[in-house]
Amino acid sequence: MYPLLNTINTPDDLRHLERKQLAQLAQELRAFLIESVSKTGGHLSSNLGAVELAIALHYVFNTPHDKLVWDVGHQTYAHKILTGRREAMKTLRMAGGPSGFPKREESPYDAFGTGHSSTSISAALGMAVAAKLAGTDSRAVAIIGDGAMTGGMAFEALNNAGAMNANLLVILNDNDMSISHPVGALNNYLAKLMSGRFYATMRRGGEKVLGVVPSMLELAKRTEEHVKGMVIPGTLFEEFGFNYIGPIDGHDMDVLTTTLGNIRNLEGPQFLHVVTQKGKGYTHAEKDSVLYHGVDKFDSVNGIAPKAASKPTYTQIFGAWLCDMAAQDERLIGITPAMCEGSGMAGFAQKFPQRFFDVGIAEQHALTFAAGLACEGLKPMVAIYSTFLQRAYDQLIHDIAIQNLPVMLAIDRGGLVGADGATHAGSFDLSYLRCIPNMTVMVPGDENECRQMLFTAFHLDTPSAVRYPRGCGPGVAPQKEMQALPVGRGELRRAGKNIAILAFGSMLAPVLGAAEQLDATVANMRFVKPLDEKLILNLAREHDLLVTVEENVIQGGAGSAVAECLQYYGMAAPLLHLGLPDEFLEHGDPTQMLAACGLDAAGIIASIRRRISDADKPSFRIT
């Protein structure tokens, strides 16, 4: 079925092909991708658009001696297939299978681990400088998408790279940029010309000749910039110190290989602008690249079938609340760092376009922008994934918390996220949020509680965060009517004996299941900050063992807050903290991952019984 692709086990095999065979390889590779991802799920649109680029890069560059750094990394499936992982793609993003992103420990061809955006240029620059210091001929290539170019870190790296004169190639994989002109024969011809040795030689020679007449040299440079600026949008990158080339057709294999071959022989920082199409070669994905960006398993012939109605996800609960709240209060402003659909804001963006702001992949800017809005009496709400909030930690402290501004964070994907793995897990937010003065941190135990907490947070005059997990909750229907919860107050959900389990957020459902078998008391804590200290102290007095359970790392998390509370009041009480371990958890099925961490009902019971069996007090023993 894939006669040419099946012969490619390493890039060395690829480089033995004749150039005229590469177009056929691209067709086979694209067909393989569609078939493979339809069975495993994963990122599809972005990978279909990068097939020719992946082939051309490995064909021209001597990988892994030459380093390829893929930004974000969700467009690297073709790269993985060409570098010895074709057969392993059947277990993509499953436990023990390949990651959906580059991982250094997975393959020597994965030069740098990614998962968050706008990091590739910085990393590749480091590799280019290292090669220069070592005196090797290794080349470093950063492949960055137009979305990732909205991140400030990419421009910090460009600014630094242009001044270093290292042999760095930055490839802009542009599939949606408004600056792009239609790609045609003229642009392809100009790209080949400007990447060739003749152009580079003439440019250097002209500078030497005209250098003796400074005014003429300056005129020549201005003329060159003006002429190039008329036909290509490269002036910005030239100002950073790069030689700009493009835009070129990212699906024309001849143009790609010729241009890359020319660039590989050039010295100094080079910038290649490649225009591609998301979902290329698959009609369904070409028509709706957003729908096919990240997919579950689907029928490769008929496409994604409409999902049957099921209980709403926490993301959908948030989206519905956002629209309802916006209708009630005109001060509400919705902000997202390039995650409109993922964060459930599409409905809000459609109904309230004047109050919706997608700031691009710029988490730091998103929070400080929100701070500015709050200074003027508005009520900004930032919808953000837990893993991406980490990137704006300084802004949260410096620009929001220190000034005690009423900026609300709706934190999605709190806890484990399954197939996306360690780079996308929200494992640390409770630890890094609760230590910030002025913050209120809430963790809903079910869908209705999530809606009410969002309402509560919105009406606070201080910084606040509502943190909820990916996917669905236990199935508690959210009430249309919204009521503010008493801040810092938990609730007793079950009365039992000897053991009190303090559940934080998503752990409430498995804790209730475990408590039935243990005849334990259960407290739904609701707030990580401020804690319900009165409830904690009462439970400590009335029970022989306190158990805290959270979907967050144990170090510095909600359980640590409980321990600090007891210590502050001088109360000695046996404690057991259950949560995520002190390690980065790899990708897999989220239910199985939680079970492996001992955070399902069975795991909670087992951990408590182990603790009791080790205790000296006979009263701890459970029959």
Side-chain angles (χ1 to χ4, degrees):
M1 188 174 178
Y2 307 108
L4 202 54
L5 180 60
N6 287 339
T7 68
I8 307 300
N9 295 309
T10 69
D12 284 334
D13 298 326
L14 171 64
R15 290 189 278 268
H16 281 95
L17 296 181
E18 296 182 21
R19 186 179 293 193
K20 63 183 180 181
Q21 295 178 285
L22 298 183
Q24 177 188 338
L25 178 62
Q27 289 182 347
E28 293 182 18
L29 182 49
R30 185 167 277 113
F32 180 88
L33 268 174
I34 296 168
E35 179 189 20
S36 176
V37 176
S38 72
K39 295 177 180 177
T40 64
H43 291 98
L44 185 60
S45 295
S46 54
N47 281 290
L48 291 175
V51 168
E52 286 85 1
L53 184 57
I55 293 173
L57 283 167
H58 283 291
Y59 189 76
V60 171
F61 287 89
N62 182 27
T63 56
H65 177 69
D66 292 332
K67 312 299 181 184
L68 304 183
V69 180
W70 300 83
D71 211 288
V72 182
H74 63 322
Q75 75 278 40
T76 55
Y77 293 3
H79 158 81
K80 287 175 179 275
I81 293 165
L82 295 171
T83 54
R85 287 166 277 184
R86 183 178 67 251
E87 290 301 316
M89 292 297 285
K90 64 185 68 172
T91 57
L92 177 72
R93 309 199 315 157
M94 302 177 190
S99 167
F101 302 93
K103 289 178 68 69
R104 282 170 52 84
E105 57 268 40
E106 187 177 296
S107 170
Y109 293 95
D110 291 359
F112 194 77
T114 52
H116 288 188
S117 82
S118 314
T119 62
S120 62
I121 303 175
S122 298
L125 176 60
M127 295 172 186
V129 170
K132 185 176 182 180
L133 292 173
T136 71
D137 63 352
S138 174
R139 297 285 170 146
V141 183
I143 306 100
I144 184 168
D146 51 287
M149 284 298 292
T150 64
M153 186 175 175
F155 283 89
E156 292 176 14
L158 285 173
N159 183 56
N160 192 212
M164 286 193 176
N165 200 35
N167 292 329
L168 170 68
L169 168 59
V170 175
I171 297 177
L172 173 59
N173 181 17
D174 172 6
N175 49 38
D176 205 24
M177 285 184 75
S178 59
I179 64 170
S180 301
H181 294 286
V183 177
L186 177 59
N187 280 322
N188 288 336
Y189 170 73
L190 288 171
K192 287 183 178 180
L193 177 64
M194 286 187 289
S195 67
R197 289 184 176 179
F198 174 76
Y199 175 83
T201 301
M202 289 295 293
R203 186 181 189 184
R204 289 194 299 271
E207 289 177 353
K208 290 180 180 179
V209 172
L210 296 175
V212 298
V213 188
S215 59
M216 290 295 293
L217 176 59
E218 181 63 25
L219 176 62
K221 286 184 175 179
R222 289 178 180 270
T223 302
E224 180 192 38
E225 287 183 4
H226 178 67
V227 172
K228 292 178 75 174
M230 288 192 300
V231 293
I232 53 175
T235 305
L236 171 64
F237 303 110
E238 293 275 3
E239 290 296 327
F240 276 116
F242 283 77
N243 176 40
Y244 175 90
I245 301 159
I248 67 172
D249 185 349
H251 302 299
D252 187 320
M253 194 64 75
D254 180 62
V255 170
L256 273 175
T257 53
T258 299
T259 305
L260 288 171
N262 288 337
I263 291 174
R264 194 181 187 283
N265 296 317
L266 297 179
E267 298 294 318
Q270 309 294 323
F271 192 102
L272 175 62
H273 186 167
V274 175
V275 177
T276 60
Q277 180 184 6
K278 286 182 179 179
K280 174 72 173 177
Y282 186 52
T283 304
H284 301 293
E286 289 180 350
K287 290 180 179 178
D288 193 341
S289 61
V290 174
L291 177 64
Y292 284 83
H293 172 73
V295 298
D296 295 324
K297 298 177 183 180
F298 65 97
D299 185 322
S300 61
V301 176
N302 299 316
I304 297 175
K307 291 184 178 180
S310 62
K311 59 184 181 181
T313 64
Y314 279 103
T315 302
Q316 291 169 331
I317 297 294
F318 162 73
W321 169 83
L322 185 62
C323 291
D324 292 344
M325 195 70 249
Q328 293 184 22
D329 196 324
E330 293 183 352
R331 297 176 301 161
L332 189 152
I333 304 294
I335 303 167
T336 181
M339 295 304 298
C340 177
E341 290 80 14
S343 292
M345 297 187 73
F348 173 81
Q350 186 175 22
K351 292 180 180 179
F352 305 96
Q354 299 302 314
R355 289 191 271 159
F356 169 72
F357 297 92
D358 184 341
V359 301
I361 303 176
E363 295 86 359
Q364 294 172 306
H365 164 62
L367 266 65
T368 304
F369 172 54
L373 290 166
C375 284
E376 299 305 306
L378 296 173
K379 296 286 286 187
M381 187 288 312
V382 181
I384 190 168
Y385 288 9
S386 171
T387 184
F388 299 140
L389 179 59
Q390 296 162 185
R391 313 186 85 188
Y393 193 55
D394 179 64
Q395 285 68 29
L396 177 58
I397 294 173
H398 188 275
D399 299 332
I400 294 175
I402 287 178
Q403 303 185 90
N404 204 23
L405 294 171
V407 174
M408 172 187 167
L409 303 176
I411 305 175
D412 204 334
R413 271 68 167 177
L416 299 179
V417 293
D420 283 338
T423 59
H424 284 61
S427 304
F428 314 107
D429 49 40
L430 299 186
S431 300
Y432 69 69
L433 287 173
R434 76 172 191 86
C435 63
I436 303 174
N438 296 328
M439 284 294 300
T440 298
V441 183
M442 310 179 208
V443 284
D446 59 46
E447 297 90 333
N448 181 55
E449 201 164 70
C450 183
R451 181 175 171 88
Q452 308 311 323
M453 284 184 177
L454 291 165
F455 181 81
T456 305
F458 180 76
H459 285 91
L460 294 177
D461 291 325
T462 55
S464 61
V466 179
R467 184 254 205 184
Y468 44 91
R470 183 177 189 173
C472 300
V476 179
Q479 300 172 2
K480 183 70 175 177
E481 182 182 357
M482 294 182 284
Q483 295 181 337
L485 300 175
V487 175
R489 293 282 299 277
E491 62 167 357
L492 203 62
R493 290 293 294 266
R494 186 186 190 280
K497 301 175 182 178
N498 299 329
I499 302 164
I501 310 178
L502 284 61
F504 289 89
S506 59
M507 291 292 97
L508 178 60
V511 161
L512 286 171
E516 289 297 322
Q517 295 190 47
L518 297 171
D519 191 20
T521 296
V522 174
N524 175 23
M525 294 305 296
R526 287 181 169 171
F527 290 83
V528 175
K529 186 175 185 178
L531 278 174
D532 190 337
E533 296 181 342
K534 183 178 179 180
L535 178 58
I536 293 170
L537 295 173
N538 286 338
L539 292 174
R541 293 188 189 101
E542 298 168 1
H543 296 81
D544 297 319
L545 175 65
L546 292 188
V547 182
T548 65
V549 189
E550 60 191 302
E551 194 175 346
N552 184 84
V553 292
I554 295 173
Q555 285 82 351
S560 295
V562 172
E564 291 163 11
C565 170
L566 294 171
Q567 183 182 41
Y568 178 81
Y569 287 101
M571 181 171 289
L575 277 173
L576 172 62
H577 298 314
L578 302 180
L580 300 179
D582 184 25
E583 61 185 87
F584 292 106
L585 299 171
E586 299 300 333
H587 49 278
D589 177 82
T591 301
Q592 295 175 359
M593 293 175 70
L594 283 171
C597 294
L599 294 179
D600 60 350
I604 293 168
I605 292 170
S607 294
I608 293 175
R609 284 182 168 160
R610 277 196 302 270
R611 173 60 183 270
I612 291 170
S613 67
D614 293 338
D616 295 329
K617 292 183 180 180
S619 60
F620 278 3
R621 297 195 182 96
I622 296 175
T623 58

